[in-house]
Amino acid sequence: MSRIDAPSPSGRRSSRRVTLADVAARVGTSTITVSRALRRPEMVSPALRARIAEAVHELGYIPDPAAQALASQRTSVIGVLIPSVTNNVFSDVLSGVYSAVSGTPYKVQLGNTRYRSETEEELIRVFLSQRPAGLVVAGVDQTPEARTLLERAGCPVVQIMDLAQDPIDMMVGFSHHEAAQAATEHLIAQGYRAPAFIGARMDPRSTRRRAGFRAALDAAGLPVEGHEMVTNDASSVSLGGTLLDRLLAQAPETDAVFCNNDDLALGVQFAALRRGFRIGESFGVCGFNDFEVNAAAYPTLTSLRTFRHDMGRTAMEKILARLDDRDPGPRIADLGFRLMPRESTRRG
Amino acid sequence: MSRIDAPSPSGRRSSRRVTLADVAARVGTSTITVSRALRRPEMVSPALRARIAEAVHELGYIPDPAAQALASQRTSVIGVLIPSVTNNVFSDVLSGVYSAVSGTPYKVQLGNTRYRSETEEELIRVFLSQRPAGLVVAGVDQTPEARTLLERAGCPVVQIMDLAQDPIDMMVGFSHHEAAQAATEHLIAQGYRAPAFIGARMDPRSTRRRAGFRAALDAAGLPVEGHEMVTNDASSVSLGGTLLDRLLAQAPETDAVFCNNDDLALGVQFAALRRGFRIGESFGVCGFNDFEVNAAAYPTLTSLRTFRHDMGRTAMEKILARLDDRDPGPRIADLGFRLMPRESTRRG
DNA sequence: TTGACGCATGACAGCGCTGTCAATAAGCAT
DNA sequence: ATGCTTATTGACAGCGCTGTCATGCGTCAA
């Protein structure tokens, strides 16, 4: 009984898988040559290569990733660790990731850290056990253990969404501190004299944004004390309104709000409309990220545009470049940000 | 030279992987017993099991998924095929998927079909080549080839987001036709006499929603002709405003709009505020899905709530139940919908 | 006491592929 | 013609794990 005719041991599948051996038998060559024809075509003569390609097509051969991984000690899986799948920020990043990876033989595997570093560390272990081709992690604030694991990963690693001086390997992000500072300076420049900060889900990046807000107030000689309203709860539009209520109870003189993100800013704006505030004139609102809704909102909502899609795409392109032995560019890529002034801070 | 001491052939990794053999050697048992202790603990005596667990912990053993997959002809990967990673509808579904899968040994692998059935079919082939433990696909409108592939997949398959009479295997969704009809009936019941439909990204589910809209108008004896404004472009908030402009140019008598989704509805509402319409009174707006923003919007936005998180979670629970030989419940799960009447259709 | 039975454990092969090294043919300068 | 390099192909083993079947041992009814 030849190996090829043997039924699968478990009998779970009715149709036996088409293997390299089947293709090789059809062409009359060896399995290793078929393998090479598929993975490193330049090593196989054009004539043989064509016959192999034909047989592959006729038989509908698809490589078994598990066997490839086991034999080669590498996979085509690129792991992406993000804190949330519902946060629009990360869906944009993901769309960039997928746009870069589509058309390549690599696959994305997502890990949801839920904003918890223990979960992140655990997921890193799980991913590494798969010998991934590359890894993308959100943020620069990994635990020391996680950092060590990643440094020894033996594959390209990109930290995204933030910047720091000591990349594990590569980094694609922007300065949250500077971006928030620029936003706050805009409020001050527009003449608002009592700007406040509203924040939810105070992760490390949000904390840096608050620091940028404080730096701008300090530089302008404006008081910070009492002009912040933050929570660690998950962000939402309605929470923006809630936090505005609390803020105004605490600091009624507030004439502008810089929000951690656009959801909160939208919620603030809806609540301000209810209160009859003249948004943009006596009351300024600025968001963060600049989602598509901002330009359509009533009034249109000032924000700090971040390049989330580009971050995902660039991170993945750097990994792919390294895997292909091409130049991945600078270790640290600062994608910057851009102030988008709109009606909500127009000042008449 | 013992096998265990042999250097890895490629030398790519500095630290050799901890294998089952290492654990077995430490405990003084065989690899197969260690394997069983981990996968089917009831087959191993408690005493041995405890010593194995200790050795696993001390050595930091993590199984190699590729080797497991190759030997057992099954993986712990559950594939999820969705049309978009940025559409909030699918991020909610995903969060449900991840909530069900977290804590289990299964991993989610995402496929982005980009609303194209050829891409979907190709991804199904790629996923099947990995022998997934289960598969989740969006919609019920697979190509005949895709259907055949999925029927022969040899693993649990769940179609989500929609309902039909002939599930490939299992189905979790709701009736888009009935939901849209209910929304339109609400507009009519509130006294709007010239309701229109606005839609973008007219995929099969959107098309069924339009059919529901038409059915409601027909039943009420109201004209459909000229009261629809649709596009196949991707949906966005600003597009809602654009489509409203076009609609009003075509049918100025329009006194209410039922939108394909909440993004469009929000855009319609913003544009209507700009035009000075009295939203909810002389001009009604109704969305679809009921995102969190709706309840906070100004005015609050009527919508049809769908249970997206639950769809993802239920689909995954059904797969996990089948994998554990538990009862997955009915083949077809109708999660329904719920009208959420708010200010935007209040009628004074 | 004996045979049947179930439980716990082990030996062995092989999943489908690729790394390594060997073999052969072809090309080329001397 | 000779020796050497380059291009093309193949043989073989083994990646780390699990399915299958075999073995040993204690239990229990007859």
Side-chain angles (χ1 to χ4, degrees):
Chain A
M1 188 169 77
S2 90
R3 206 174 101 183
I4 286 177
D5 294 333
S8 86
S10 64
R12 261 194 305 281
R13 317 227 160 208
S14 48
S15 57
R16 206 184 47 77
R17 184 183 188 97
V18 177
T19 70
L20 268 190
D22 299 329
V23 179
R26 175 129 179 166
V27 175
T29 180
S30 65
T31 59
I32 185 66
T33 301
V34 177
S35 169
R36 281 197 283 249
L38 295 172
R39 292 185 314 111
R40 311 187 54 187
E42 75 283 1
M43 290 183 71
V44 176
S45 67
L48 228 195
R49 206 191 302 162
R51 286 169 52 214
I52 289 174
E54 194 187 354
V56 163
H57 183 75
E58 283 170 4
L59 296 175
Y61 169 74
I62 299 182
D64 182 333
Q68 292 186 133
L70 186 57
S72 68
Q73 303 286 76
R74 60 165 80 243
T75 65
S76 53
V77 170
I78 298 177
V80 177
L81 295 181
I82 55 177
S84 160
V85 287
T86 41
N87 186 328
N88 287 318
V89 166
F90 295 106
S91 6
D92 287 344
V93 170
L94 271 191
S95 90
V97 161
Y98 279 99
S99 78
V101 95
S102 93
T104 75
Y106 294 98
K107 296 161 207 136
V108 173
Q109 195 157 317
L110 221 61
N112 185 353
T113 67
R114 301 171 179 230
Y115 292 98
R116 293 173 46 179
S117 40
E118 318 93 88
T119 310
E120 181 176 58
E121 200 179 310
E122 190 188 322
L123 281 170
I124 290 172
R125 281 182 217 279
V126 171
F127 275 50
L128 287 180
S129 79
Q130 298 187 54
R131 315 173 193 276
L135 234 31
V136 176
V137 297
V140 298
D141 304 278
Q142 285 74 29
T143 63
E145 293 76 16
R147 235 194 120 85
T148 307
L149 285 171
L150 291 172
E151 278 161 358
R152 295 181 188 161
C155 68
V157 175
V158 187
Q159 293 163 286
I160 60 170
M161 308 300 295
D162 205 345
L163 290 181
Q165 288 307 309
D166 50 347
I168 293 173
D169 180 6
M170 297 181 286
M171 204 174 256
V172 181
F174 67 96
S175 167
H176 290 255
H177 185 107
E178 286 176 24
Q181 190 165 353
T184 313
E185 284 167 355
H186 166 72
L187 290 177
I188 296 167
Q190 293 296 91
Y192 298 105
R193 280 297 155 257
F197 177 86
I198 280 184
R201 179 75 79 192
M202 293 303 288
D203 65 6
R205 290 173 292 285
S206 296
T207 305
R208 285 194 252 283
R209 284 179 219 158
R210 181 172 58 186
F213 166 79
R214 289 178 176 175
L217 288 203
D218 281 353
L222 296 173
V224 170
E225 182 74 25
H227 292 91
E228 294 181 334
M229 185 54 63
V230 305
T231 168
N232 284 321
D233 294 349
S235 183
S236 70
V237 178
S238 56
L239 184 58
T242 308
L243 293 178
L244 177 65
D245 290 346
R246 285 192 211 152
L247 176 72
L248 290 176
Q250 167 187 305
E253 73 280 17
T254 301
D255 64 355
V257 177
F258 168 52
C259 297
N260 206 10
N261 65 51
D262 287 337
D263 280 353
L264 293 178
L266 208 52
V268 163
Q269 202 160 274
F270 287 139
L273 284 172
R274 285 223 162 66
R275 284 170 175 264
F277 286 7
R278 290 179 11 256
I279 295 176
E281 298 171 28
S282 58
F283 190 78
V285 184
C286 178
F288 198 92
N289 280 320
D290 197 33
F291 286 125
E292 186 264 338
V293 61
N294 291 25
Y298 174 79
T300 58
L301 176 50
T302 297
S303 194
L304 235 122
R305 179 171 295 181
T306 57
F307 302 93
R308 306 170 300 278
H309 182 95
D310 286 348
M311 259 181 275
R313 193 172 41 71
T314 307
M316 202 47 76
E317 280 170 355
K318 279 180 181 300
I319 289 178
L320 295 172
R322 278 266 279 276
L323 293 173
D324 286 356
D325 279 320
R326 288 181 284 109
D327 175 21
R331 281 166 69 82
I332 302 185
D334 182 349
L335 265 38
F337 51 82
R338 183 169 157 207
L339 179 69
M340 304 297 290
R342 297 212 183 84
E343 291 167 4
S344 70
T345 57
R346 192 78 92 208
R347 255 311 187 198
Chain B
M1 188 168 78
S2 90
R3 204 173 102 180
I4 287 176
D5 292 335
S8 87
S10 64
R12 261 194 306 281
R13 317 227 159 207
S14 47
S15 57
R16 205 184 48 77
R17 181 181 191 100
V18 177
T19 69
L20 268 190
D22 299 329
V23 178
R26 176 128 178 169
V27 175
T29 180
S30 65
T31 58
I32 186 67
T33 302
V34 178
S35 169
R36 282 197 281 248
L38 296 172
R39 292 185 315 111
R40 311 188 53 187
E42 75 283 1
M43 289 181 72
V44 176
S45 68
L48 228 195
R49 206 192 302 163
R51 288 168 51 215
I52 289 174
E54 194 187 355
V56 163
H57 183 75
E58 282 170 4
L59 296 175
Y61 168 74
I62 300 182
D64 182 333
Q68 293 185 134
L70 187 56
S72 68
Q73 303 286 76
R74 59 167 77 246
T75 64
S76 54
V77 170
I78 296 177
V80 177
L81 295 183
I82 54 176
S84 160
V85 287
T86 41
N87 186 329
N88 287 318
V89 167
F90 295 106
S91 8
D92 286 344
V93 170
L94 270 191
S95 92
V97 161
Y98 279 100
S99 79
V101 95
S102 94
T104 76
Y106 295 98
K107 297 160 206 137
V108 173
Q109 195 158 314
L110 221 60
N112 185 351
T113 65
R114 301 170 179 231
Y115 292 98
R116 292 172 45 178
S117 39
E118 318 93 89
T119 311
E120 181 176 58
E121 200 179 310
E122 189 188 322
L123 281 170
I124 290 172
R125 281 182 216 279
V126 170
F127 275 49
L128 287 180
S129 80
Q130 297 187 54
R131 314 173 192 276
L135 234 30
V136 175
V137 297
V140 298
D141 304 277
Q142 285 74 30
T143 63
E145 293 77 17
R147 234 195 121 85
T148 306
L149 285 171
L150 291 172
E151 278 162 357
R152 296 181 188 163
C155 68
V157 175
V158 187
Q159 292 163 287
I160 59 171
M161 309 299 297
D162 205 346
L163 289 182
Q165 288 309 308
D166 51 347
I168 293 174
D169 180 7
M170 295 181 286
M171 203 174 256
V172 181
F174 67 96
S175 167
H176 290 256
H177 185 107
E178 286 177 24
Q181 188 165 354
T184 312
E185 284 166 356
H186 166 70
L187 289 177
I188 295 167
Q190 292 298 93
Y192 298 105
R193 279 297 156 257
F197 177 85
I198 279 184
R201 178 76 79 196
M202 294 302 289
D203 65 6
R205 291 174 292 287
S206 297
T207 306
R208 285 193 252 282
R209 284 179 218 156
R210 180 173 57 187
F213 166 78
R214 289 178 178 176
L217 287 204
D218 281 352
L222 295 173
V224 170
E225 182 74 25
H227 292 91
E228 295 181 333
M229 185 54 63
V230 305
T231 167
N232 283 322
D233 294 349
S235 183
S236 70
V237 177
S238 57
L239 183 58
T242 307
L243 293 178
L244 177 64
D245 290 345
R246 285 192 212 152
L247 176 72
L248 291 176
Q250 167 185 306
E253 73 279 17
T254 301
D255 65 354
V257 177
F258 168 51
C259 298
N260 206 8
N261 64 51
D262 287 336
D263 280 352
L264 293 178
L266 208 52
V268 163
Q269 203 160 275
F270 287 139
L273 284 171
R274 284 222 163 67
R275 284 173 176 261
F277 286 7
R278 291 179 10 255
I279 296 176
E281 298 171 28
S282 57
F283 189 78
V285 184
C286 177
F288 197 94
N289 279 322
D290 196 34
F291 286 125
E292 186 263 337
V293 62
N294 291 25
Y298 175 80
T300 58
L301 177 51
T302 297
S303 195
L304 235 122
R305 178 170 295 180
T306 58
F307 302 94
R308 306 171 298 277
H309 182 94
D310 286 348
M311 259 182 273
R313 192 173 42 69
T314 307
M316 202 47 77
E317 280 170 355
K318 280 183 182 297
I319 289 179
L320 294 172
R322 278 266 279 276
L323 294 173
D324 287 357
D325 279 320
R326 288 181 285 109
D327 175 22
R331 282 168 68 83
I332 302 185
D334 182 349
L335 263 41
F337 51 82
R338 184 171 154 203
L339 178 71
M340 304 296 291
R342 297 213 183 83
E343 291 167 2
S344 70
T345 56
R346 192 78 90 208
R347 258 305 187 198

